Amino acid sequence: MKIDWDRRTCARRGHVTYAPDEPRLRERLHAETALGGAWRCLRCGDFALGEPHGSGPADHAPLVPRGKVLRDLFVLRFLAIERAVRGVFIVLAAVAVWKFSNSQDAVRRLFDEYLDVFRPVFRHFHYDLDHSPIVDTVQKTFGYKHNTLVLVAVLLLAYALIELVEAVGLWYAKRWAEYLTVVATAAFLPLEIYELTERISWLKIATLFLNILAVLYILLAKRLFGLRGGHRAFEEERQSASLLEVEEAGGLREVSASGQASRHP
């Protein structure tokens, strides 16, 4: 089922109306009803009762996102939420690594104590806990130096900062954030592919698939790096989505057609 992004957004945020100074265009966007005057919404095209939200020359009308632009904004905000959640988890991981670096010996002793408790339980189910990949990874971590762990925590914080900056920028549909997201995500794709060669998991596959889709979608939909006409073509597409401009173009076509008819009786 096709989603009507315009009416969906108007249902949540309300209509956006504007009264242009140009008489012909003003007449096309205004209607009188039994309940009073109504103005056509610049987003969904429906008429809304009441005074317009703004007025002035047609070229000063607000640029209201419509149709494909709204769909793209929905996708960007979905990616923004995903980046924000990931950034928060990475911050928590960085804090955990930093705390672990300051109490490594105490954590090692606590881990060994719990390992001694759970070893007979797992042996009862014929599972060798000493050769578990998870236990092996944790024990290797205990061998890392304090400075190494601090460096890991700093790198994790830097990565989390990038993710959170991306999230804020994507939420507000900033073009610099789209470039940052594409470059940063593409830079980590080789590492994600390498991790799959080491050990395959559905979470890693899903993350890799989502990141590849995000890069391709933003590149093509936002026309980054000169693709599909670049920034100029993107702005032209956005401008053409304004209902007020469509109405104005329609009025000009009517004038042009009537002029041609008068010259050719």
Side-chain angles (χ1 to χ4, degrees):
M1 182 175 63
K2 186 177 180 181
I3 299 176
D4 191 333
W5 294 99
D6 299 333
R7 286 186 170 84
R8 177 178 178 271
T9 303
C10 283
R12 291 189 297 110
R13 301 182 182 178
H15 297 293
V16 180
T17 55
Y18 187 82
D21 292 340
E22 294 79 359
R24 177 182 291 273
L25 189 54
R26 188 184 186 93
E27 182 181 351
R28 292 172 64 86
L29 296 179
H30 181 258
E32 287 294 337
T33 71
L35 299 178
W39 292 88
R40 194 172 186 186
C41 176
L42 299 181
R43 182 186 291 119
C44 68
D46 293 341
F47 281 91
L49 292 170
E51 295 297 322
H53 297 125
S55 62
D59 56 359
H60 291 174
L63 184 60
V64 182
R66 300 179 64 245
K68 181 177 178 295
V69 178
L70 284 175
R71 183 199 65 191
D72 292 342
L73 184 59
F74 176 82
V75 174
L76 288 180
R77 290 192 167 178
F78 171 79
L79 293 175
I81 294 173
E82 185 267 339
R83 262 35 179 198
V85 172
R86 188 191 303 182
V88 170
F89 275 105
I90 295 174
V91 169
L92 295 177
V95 172
V97 171
W98 179 75
K99 287 187 174 182
F100 171 71
S101 68
N102 293 324
S103 55
Q104 193 170 353
D105 292 337
V107 174
R108 183 203 296 267
R109 289 194 298 270
L110 183 63
F111 178 79
D112 289 339
E113 290 176 4
Y114 277 103
L115 191 63
D116 291 337
V117 172
F118 285 104
R119 187 179 286 111
V121 177
F122 279 87
R123 188 179 298 120
H124 177 75
F125 293 98
H126 307 288
Y127 185 82
D128 189 357
L129 197 59
D130 291 320
H131 293 86
S132 168
I134 297 177
V135 173
D136 185 57
T137 301
V138 173
Q139 289 176 337
K140 286 180 180 179
T141 306
F142 290 134
Y144 294 156
K145 296 181 179 179
H146 173 76
N147 292 337
T148 302
L149 293 173
V150 171
L151 178 60
V152 170
V154 171
L155 292 176
L156 286 174
L157 280 178
Y159 182 40
L161 179 62
I162 294 175
E163 293 290 296
L164 294 175
V165 170
E166 286 181 23
V168 174
L170 289 175
W171 184 267
Y172 291 103
K174 299 297 184 181
R175 195 160 181 84
W176 59 261
E178 296 165 1
Y179 276 102
L180 176 62
T181 300
V182 168
V183 172
T185 305
F188 283 99
L189 288 179
L191 179 60
E192 294 179 9
I193 295 174
Y194 173 77
E195 289 181 352
L196 280 175
T197 62
E198 293 292 318
R199 187 177 181 184
I200 296 177
S201 70
W202 287 110
L203 179 60
K204 292 181 180 179
I205 294 175
T207 302
L208 176 62
F209 183 70
L210 178 62
N211 286 335
I212 292 175
L213 280 183
V215 169
L216 293 177
Y217 179 84
I218 297 176
L219 273 175
L220 297 176
K222 297 300 182 176
R223 304 173 187 264
L224 302 184
F225 300 102
L227 294 177
R228 300 177 60 217
H231 183 65
R232 177 178 297 180
F234 172 75
E235 287 299 326
E236 290 176 354
E237 181 184 44
R238 187 183 178 191
Q239 291 286 343
S240 66
S242 171
L243 178 62
L244 186 57
E245 290 188 358
V246 172
E247 289 290 329
E248 186 175 20
L252 293 175
R253 284 196 295 270
E254 289 179 1
V255 173
S256 176
S258 61
Q260 290 180 0
S262 63
R263 289 195 299 270
H264 301 283

